[in-house]
Amino acid sequence: MNRISQKKGGTRMLLQANEAIARGALEAGVIFAAGYPGNPSSEIIETLAKASRDLPIYVEWSVNEKVALEAATGASFAGCRAICSMKQNGVNVVSDFLTNLSLSGTKGGLVLVSCDDPGGISSTNEEDARAFAPLSDIPLLEPSSPQEALDMARWAFDLSETINNIVMIRSVSRLSHSRSDVQVKDLPDFDVQPYFDTKVSFHTFPIVAKHQARHEKLRMAEELFENSPFNFYRGPSRPELLVIGSGCAVDYAIDAIEIMSLWERVGVLKLGTTWPLPRKLLLENLQKSESILFVEDVDPFIETNVKALAAEAARQVGVKTFHGRGSGDFPLCGELGPSHLLEFFGNYFDLDWKDQEFRNKMGSLTKGKIPPREFGFCPGCPHRGSFYAIKTALAWDDRDGFVSGDIGCYTMGIWPTGFNQVKSVHAMGSGSGIACGYGKLEGFGFDQPVITVCGDSTFFHATIPALVNARFNNADILLVVLDNSATAMTGFQPHPGTGKTAMGQPTQPVDIAALCESMGLEVHVGDPYEMKETARRLYDLMQKQGPRVMVLRRKCALVQGREGGFPYDMHVDQSLCVGEECGCGRYCTRIFRCPGLIWDKEKKKAMIDQVICVGCGICAEICPQGAIKKEAKG
Amino acid sequence: MEQTTVQGQSNLVREVLEKGICVRCGACVGICPYFQYHDGKVVVSDWCQTSTWRCVQVCPRLPYDRASLYDYFYHVNDCTDAIGPHRQVVAARSGDKLVRSAAQYGGVVTALVIFAMEEGLVNSAVLTDRGGDLAPKGVLCSDREAVLGCAGSRYSASAALSELNLAIQAGNDRLAFIGLPCQMEALGRLSLSEPDGQERAGHVELKIGLFCTWALDYRALRSYLKTKGIVEIPKKYDIPPPPSEVFIVETNNGRMEFPLSEVREIVQPGCSVCEDMTAEFADISVGTLEGDKQWNTVIVRTDKGMELFEKALRAGVLEQKEIPSSNLEHLKEAASNKRKRALRARGEESNE
Ligand SMILES: Cc1cc2nc3c(=O)[nH]c(=O)nc-3n(C[C@H](O)[C@H](O)[C@H](O)COP(=O)(O)OP(=O)(O)OC[C@H]3O[C@@H](n4cnc5c(N)ncnc54)[C@H](O)[C@@H]3O)c2cc1C
Ligand code: SF4
Ligand code: SF4
């Protein structure tokens, strides 16, 4: 049995915050969970999916975030507790539904978890999804530790049912992926009987009255927040500097105070309920100091709102000096780290902060020990073959063609690993949508060919409407579906094309090629490993008009590695390799760039890194001297 | 290596490809991975960083010293004859009716290639195929059927030298190459190039050149034909000598004629700076015989060419007759005009 499903509470478990959120939801009696994978949120649904083997709960990876929240809402309307998780971009996808749902209200406790990625470590953007709480008038909770993540998740369902509205929890990468010792409680019996009460209905009419009711719900939440244990003050009664913050940032502040022994001079008001802000609590604490420092990720969310509050209550709390991202003391973007806090306190209190020294030491200790690696596709990755074919076809065509990109591992097509072919990346499905635009410019003299790419998971998520649009408006688009049979970027979650659900049950797979054909599109299927042949076919397709699709199908190298591996033993015949000479110019290591190919500095020849090379064999095709040899594995 | 005036790939790209004067000879393709020929066009696929550059040493569209080629092949410093150094000019045709019916004109080229193979002078030959959905391209042929399959003229360049480069790289020896004047220039430049040009060129035993006034841009030709309702691959093209001023295209649906003035619009711009009409650096050059489509004008230039030509006559593979002097005059005039136009276009004074 999975430890997350352990019935009995009262013990401690080492949990990642995302697992703690899942456990908290289970302790609250959640029976329905839905989400769309996306770093750093994916483990929440994954954890619940594992728990579904032991507990009577339902868990799904939905086709996209909006559908995920809609499905979870169905469960809520039928009186069940439901959770829905996603990364920050997902909240954008959800927002249209969310701003309407918060008007209609909910029934069974419904919680939306957004895991934001400050610094965009594994995202296409940096975004503070907290903005959606005020936008849709819903309560917002921000944990700063795995324990709090669990406790907040459990309580959020009570809150949701008290005010009959959806509640948002916001985590960040550092928290979602950090582990600590967490106290767990008992799991309930999960004996709910879903029932939709036809005497009630959920809609947004009359709109203004519902809007007013929504504000009333927020007011109720604020009252509860005033006494919430998730908000607390620590420090002297009249600190020289009052820190107000949330999430990991406030923990960093506490660490810095600790390290610099500043507890007699600095106080911390840690907020766990950040929308609506607990006004009374804030006014009370604002009076403690004339200098206020805000610490939070990413935007000055608390900062801006507290400043407004302080302005309103200036007579009561007095004039303040504010510090924070909004006041220019910290950068307005990027993740707030411990060093920002150390540096700030050091300068503010004129103390020697040692961080730079520490960094120098770190630098000298690690120097030369970490092999340089660029952002790149894995050895054996089918995307390398796909982009090589695309690059070749676009070069042959010679009309300054380019790739309209999308979100997935293949976003790396913007870098040398994808031969810099991808020229734009935005939201899920946008590559094809944008291509619809290019595809209607011919009449104005636009003749650059455009290939748009999307992964199989992205195809289902948001590409289909763009493709229907292309068919409808007869746009000249050539979509290449990079079908690697996995939501690879986020950790191989199943999707509609894989024939398996989040709970591991077999399901009828949706056939991308057949679906496209049914829309009346010209569809071809190819193999990314057959680079020349694929390039030829892409070139031919580029000469045609109207909406066209080429599905390039090959399993993700990591999946293939687990399921039987690769067929070849590779080596470079160095007597044939001409290396830097004319006739090659280090084509394999400089242009093709599979990390399995390395440069033998001494001999000035290429060689195979036998540890990295998986044996897919495709580089044998690209060596102009035929020096890269493949032999069937013995 | 000291870098002097010779620069690398970027120079070739800037001076030739970007200026649009590449004539798709294919000399730079196949010797390295950075240039590729596909569907009638030579393109750069990646940037090269080497310090030894074969590409710039072979390209016939980069300025080079033509006198060095005269010197290398004919041991003369210059050539004042408009049709280049030669041993003789005659009219000839294949003795084989079958060859003649497949060929563009008298079938001398096809007949000679097959004969050279059968005689063991060459093992195989690089010719230009008929093209299909894509533009014509070079093809390595090693038997009679394959050579016959290539007979006839495609009026667009096929970069067949790329196929020759690959054939040499793959270890083929005793090769024949059949191509346009620019391709003979490129092959000539190859012989003089570093580090191994002489050795590479040494694998080419026989060079048969075609007369050429210009070649068309294939992709433009395809679009042009499409506007005229021709989408299938033409069986035969022809440009009868002046004053007819027409471009003839034969398809399965019959024969169509188009005004040459329209077709000139899609001539490769690089042809306007080409000064060679008769493939001066071939062993034997072959063109039409004005006024008699069953015959070719043949210029035999080298000893090797002479030997093969005479052997072919003796074997009855070729028939010859004297070339009317008016034809020869016309030919020289046309060749001289082409040279003048090219020198003018290049901004160099005509020295005649
Ligand atoms: C682009 C072009 C322009 C020409 N312009 C003239 C001209 O202005 N005046 C003139 O007298 N003759 C010209 N010719 C030559 C003429 O068309 C005949 O090729 C030549 O007379 C040989 O005739 P044949 O009967 O011996 O040919 P065949 O026996 O039919 O042999 C023709 C050979 O030419 C090769 N070939 C076909 N197309 C190409 C190509 N695009 N590039 C390289 N090789 C090719 C084939 O592989 C074949 O081996 C031109 C040819 C071409 C290809
Ligand atoms: S591509 Fe081939 S010739 Fe070039 S460096 Fe690699 S192994 Fe050597
Ligand atoms: S003319 Fe020949 S050598 Fe020059 S760029 Fe074109 S194909 Fe290459």
Side-chain angles (χ1 to χ4, degrees):
Chain A
M1 185 164 105
N2 197 306
R3 67 201 171 109
I4 288 291
S5 328
Q6 179 187 302
K7 269 262 174 217
K8 199 86 201 86
T11 54
R12 303 187 73 83
M13 281 182 196
L14 180 66
L15 292 182
Q16 191 195 52
N18 278 349
E19 293 171 325
I21 289 171
R23 173 73 193 191
L26 291 173
E27 288 178 14
V30 152
I31 61 130
F32 196 104
Y36 184 81
N39 205 47
S41 71
S42 312
E43 297 84 2
I44 298 172
I45 293 295
E46 281 174 346
T47 304
L48 290 168
K50 272 183 217 146
S52 75
R53 291 181 212 144
D54 314 314
L55 303 170
I57 60 169
Y58 172 78
V59 184
E60 76 171 36
W61 283 122
S62 309
V63 72
N64 64 31
E65 293 87 351
K66 180 165 173 279
V67 175
L69 183 61
E70 286 157 351
T73 298
S76 163
F77 288 170
C80 310
R81 289 189 160 186
I83 189 169
C84 178
S85 69
M86 60 200 62
K87 68 183 296 173
Q88 76 270 7
N89 312 64
V91 189
N92 305 338
V93 177
V94 150
S95 63
D96 191 16
F97 177 61
L98 181 62
T99 50
N100 283 281
L101 174 65
S102 59
L103 282 177
S104 84
T106 57
K107 190 169 177 201
L110 180 60
V111 174
L112 165 69
V113 185
S114 169
C115 299
D116 292 5
D117 185 14
I121 299 162
S122 55
S123 301
T124 52
N125 73 348
E126 177 175 59
E127 173 183 335
D128 194 330
R130 292 180 300 177
F132 284 98
L135 183 73
S136 37
D137 292 327
I138 59 172
L140 173 68
L141 307 176
E142 279 189 71
S144 69
S145 69
Q147 181 70 59
E148 224 176 25
L150 186 150
D151 295 339
M152 275 183 184
R154 188 178 51 231
W155 183 66
F157 293 90
D158 293 340
L159 174 61
S160 169
E161 284 171 10
T162 308
I163 65 167
N164 281 323
N165 215 349
I166 181 170
V167 171
M168 180 168 172
I169 294 180
R170 189 258 197 161
S171 175
V172 289
S173 305
R174 298 285 165 196
L175 174 63
S176 276
H177 289 163
S178 57
R179 277 167 210 279
S180 78
D181 211 13
V182 172
Q183 181 78 34
V184 299
K185 292 196 169 156
D186 290 349
L187 294 189
D189 287 336
F190 301 99
D191 56 353
V192 279
Q193 176 56 55
Y195 175 70
F196 186 94
D197 183 353
T198 51
K199 290 192 287 301
V200 292
S201 53
F202 298 90
H203 52 69
T204 60
F205 303 98
I207 294 166
V208 175
K210 285 275 173 72
H211 197 174
Q212 204 174 353
R214 189 165 85 174
H215 285 188
E216 179 53 28
K217 291 175 179 182
L218 260 195
R219 205 196 48 72
M220 281 165 70
E222 186 182 329
E223 238 163 67
L224 293 167
F225 288 174
E226 293 290 1
N227 298 312
S228 164
F230 301 129
N231 308 320
F232 57 79
Y233 174 77
R234 178 177 169 196
S237 55
R238 296 208 59 82
E240 289 167 51
L241 178 72
L242 171 65
V243 176
I244 303 179
S246 65
C248 289
V250 80
D251 275 344
Y252 296 153
I254 290 171
D255 287 348
I257 293 166
E258 209 81 60
I259 292 168
M260 299 174 103
S261 310
L262 286 170
W263 276 125
E264 279 168 18
R265 304 175 75 181
V266 184
V268 175
L269 177 63
K270 184 224 157 257
L271 293 178
T273 70
T274 50
W275 193 261
L277 285 169
R279 249 175 283 201
K280 277 187 219 133
L281 179 78
L282 277 161
L283 293 181
E284 197 180 288
N285 281 281
L286 280 172
Q287 291 175 36
K288 290 192 173 119
S289 180
E290 270 161 25
S291 290
I292 316 290
L293 170 69
F294 296 99
V295 295
E296 57 189 318
D297 275 316
V298 173
D299 292 334
F301 176 83
I302 299 175
E303 180 173 350
T304 309
N305 289 301
V306 171
K307 277 176 177 170
L309 184 65
E312 228 173 67
R315 279 179 201 289
Q316 183 188 344
V317 299
V319 176
K320 305 288 169 198
T321 311
F322 294 110
H323 303 280
R325 284 181 187 264
S327 309
D329 302 85
F330 299 130
L332 253 177
C333 33
E335 192 180 21
L336 206 63
S339 57
H340 288 115
L341 275 305
L342 289 169
E343 189 177 347
F344 179 86
F345 290 138
N347 294 339
Y348 192 85
F349 295 106
D350 202 12
L351 295 170
D352 182 21
W353 63 287
K354 299 279 192 305
D355 192 53
Q356 196 53 46
E357 211 174 277
F358 173 71
R359 280 197 213 179
N360 293 343
K361 197 172 161 195
M362 279 277 289
S364 68
L365 281 173
T366 52
K367 200 173 164 216
K369 300 205 172 96
I370 302 166
R373 285 257 188 273
E374 60 185 22
F375 258 118
F377 297 128
C378 303
C381 176
H383 295 331
R384 181 173 290 102
S386 297
F387 277 114
Y388 190 81
I390 287 171
K391 169 182 94 89
T392 305
L394 288 172
W396 285 346
D397 182 85
D398 203 30
R399 283 178 292 164
D400 250 346
F402 60 97
V403 176
S404 172
D406 219 303
I407 299 181
C409 289
Y410 53 93
T411 299
M412 289 190 285
I414 61 175
W415 288 306
T417 191
F419 316 107
N420 305 304
Q421 296 298 297
V422 174
K423 300 301 176 190
S424 65
V425 176
H426 300 88
M428 298 284 279
S430 296
S432 297
I434 294 171
C436 284
Y438 300 128
K440 295 303 311 179
L441 293 179
E442 200 200 358
F444 304 95
F446 183 83
D447 80 334
Q448 290 170 271
V450 182
I451 290 181
T452 179
V453 293
C454 79
D456 36 350
S457 193
T458 307
F459 176 86
F460 295 115
H461 183 290
T463 302
I464 295 173
L467 213 47
V468 175
N469 185 64
R471 174 68 290 165
F472 174 39
N473 293 301
N474 205 31
D476 291 327
I477 92 167
L478 171 52
L479 168 67
V480 174
V481 183
L482 304 169
D483 182 357
N484 62 359
S485 308
T487 315
M489 190 77 167
T490 54
F492 314 106
Q493 294 81 5
H495 64 62
T498 59
K500 213 173 75 181
T501 68
M503 293 163 72
Q505 271 137 14
T507 180
Q508 171 85 40
V510 180
D511 182 332
I512 295 177
L515 187 64
C516 292
E517 259 160 26
S518 75
M519 291 184 216
L521 304 169
E522 179 175 350
V523 184
H524 299 257
V525 179
D527 179 354
Y529 278 8
E530 303 288 335
M531 296 184 285
K532 276 231 177 72
E533 172 61 16
T534 299
R536 257 181 236 127
R537 296 173 65 191
L538 283 174
Y539 175 86
D540 291 346
L541 278 172
M542 275 158 63
Q543 313 312 315
K544 298 185 175 178
Q545 283 172 325
R548 291 138 289 156
V549 178
M550 174 118 189
V551 182
L552 292 180
R553 205 176 274 160
R554 204 20 110 151
K555 259 188 206 148
C556 165
L558 297 181
V559 174
Q560 183 62 41
R562 272 183 244 162
E563 298 175 359
F566 292 85
Y568 300 109
D569 276 329
M570 305 300 295
H571 74 273
V572 173
D573 181 340
Q574 291 194 334
S575 69
L576 294 176
C577 172
V578 300
E580 276 161 343
E581 300 291 301
C582 176
C584 178
R586 288 183 56 186
Y587 193 74
C588 60
T589 50
R590 203 173 57 83
I591 305 290
F592 195 65
R593 292 176 105 87
C594 173
L597 292 158
I598 50 174
W599 183 241
D600 184 338
K601 283 201 191 100
E602 261 162 48
K603 297 194 184 126
K604 291 192 167 287
K605 305 270 176 178
M607 59 188 278
I608 302 283
D609 184 334
Q610 296 295 353
V611 177
I612 304 283
C613 170
V614 293
C616 72
I618 63 171
C619 58
E621 185 183 293
I622 61 99
C623 173
Q625 304 296 329
I628 305 179
K629 305 287 185 194
K630 58 182 190 186
E631 275 164 43
K633 271 182 186 160
Chain B
M1 184 176 115
E2 261 308 297
Q3 284 188 23
T4 50
T5 49
V6 179
Q7 290 293 315
Q9 182 200 26
S10 57
N11 198 42
L12 181 58
V13 172
R14 195 178 54 244
E15 294 301 321
V16 180
L17 292 167
E18 280 174 3
K19 285 190 177 158
I21 58 165
C22 165
V23 287
R24 297 78 191 244
C25 72
C28 62
V29 185
I31 48 169
C32 90
Y34 302 98
F35 291 100
Q36 295 191 29
Y37 171 77
H38 190 77
D39 195 22
K41 227 171 181 186
V42 169
V43 298
V44 205
S45 57
D46 298 285
W47 291 100
C48 161
Q49 283 183 345
T50 61
S51 52
T52 46
W53 303 294
R54 290 187 178 89
C55 56
V56 290
Q57 298 182 70
V58 295
C59 176
R61 280 300 158 268
L62 280 172
Y64 71 95
D65 179 17
R66 199 173 171 88
S68 63
L69 290 188
Y70 286 133
D71 183 28
Y72 183 78
F73 288 107
Y74 303 110
H75 311 294
V76 295
N77 291 332
D78 199 2
C79 178
T80 46
D81 194 324
I83 57 169
H86 58 269
R87 302 275 307 264
Q88 67 172 36
V89 186
V90 292
R93 67 174 189 181
S94 161
D96 183 340
K97 268 204 190 120
L98 191 102
V99 170
R100 284 209 302 270
S101 67
Q104 185 70 14
Y105 299 122
V108 168
V109 173
T110 303
L112 273 179
V113 174
I114 293 171
F115 183 62
M117 272 180 192
E118 286 171 354
E119 285 294 297
L121 175 65
V122 301
N123 294 334
S124 48
V126 173
L127 296 101
T128 290
D129 73 11
R130 314 196 68 82
D133 292 340
L134 301 175
K137 59 175 184 351
V139 57
L140 182 66
C141 301
S142 45
D143 60 39
R144 180 189 163 88
E145 288 317 304
V147 176
L148 269 174
C150 291
S153 299
R154 264 66 65 190
Y155 282 97
S156 58
S158 65
L161 280 174
S162 66
E163 207 52 41
L164 181 72
N165 285 331
L166 291 176
I168 294 171
Q169 173 118 332
N172 290 283
D173 206 1
R174 304 182 76 78
L175 287 151
F177 181 76
I178 289 71
L180 300 172
C182 53
Q183 294 176 308
M184 296 302 148
E185 289 181 42
L187 254 181
R189 294 200 69 198
L190 177 69
S191 308
L192 298 183
S193 72
E194 297 293 331
D196 53 2
Q198 199 173 6
E199 190 223 314
R200 281 174 189 253
H203 298 298
V204 183
E205 205 52 48
L206 176 65
K207 296 182 284 183
I208 301 181
L210 308 174
F211 294 4
C212 175
T213 311
W214 41 246
L216 302 173
D217 178 295
Y218 182 78
R219 294 186 193 185
L221 171 63
R222 184 168 49 201
S223 312
Y224 174 79
L225 292 179
K226 210 168 152 193
T227 64
K228 303 288 179 186
I230 300 178
V231 287
E232 75 266 49
I233 308 140
K235 284 199 309 196
K236 189 165 181 177
Y237 303 94
D238 194 13
I239 304 173
S244 68
E245 283 292 307
V246 289
F247 181 59
I248 297 165
V249 179
E250 280 176 40
T251 67
N252 289 330
N253 298 326
R255 183 188 139 102
M256 287 172 88
E257 283 185 12
F258 305 106
L260 209 50
S261 58
E262 273 182 27
V263 176
R264 282 207 187 89
E265 297 286 308
I266 53 170
V267 167
Q268 304 189 109
C271 295
S272 67
V273 292
C274 172
E275 61 178 286
D276 187 347
M277 194 191 100
T278 57
E280 295 180 5
F281 304 110
D283 295 307
I284 299 175
S285 301
V286 188
T288 181
L289 180 69
E290 279 185 22
D292 192 345
K293 294 181 99 189
Q294 294 302 305
W295 289 78
N296 292 110
T297 302
V298 179
I299 304 175
V300 184
R301 301 186 184 279
T302 62
D303 294 345
K304 195 192 280 170
M306 199 68 198
E307 202 178 308
L308 177 70
F309 187 72
E310 283 179 341
K311 227 175 174 183
L313 287 175
R314 282 198 299 276
V317 164
L318 293 184
E319 300 165 2
Q320 73 165 335
K321 64 178 187 185
E322 208 171 310
I323 187 163
S325 63
S326 61
N327 276 60
L328 192 54
E329 267 164 44
H330 265 157
L331 179 64
K332 290 196 176 189
E333 194 186 324
S336 155
N337 282 341
K338 182 175 176 183
R339 171 154 289 134
K340 280 186 203 150
R341 280 196 304 271
L343 294 180
R344 224 177 298 130
R346 297 205 307 234
E348 292 166 29
E349 285 306 307
S350 161
N351 44 15
E352 278 167 68

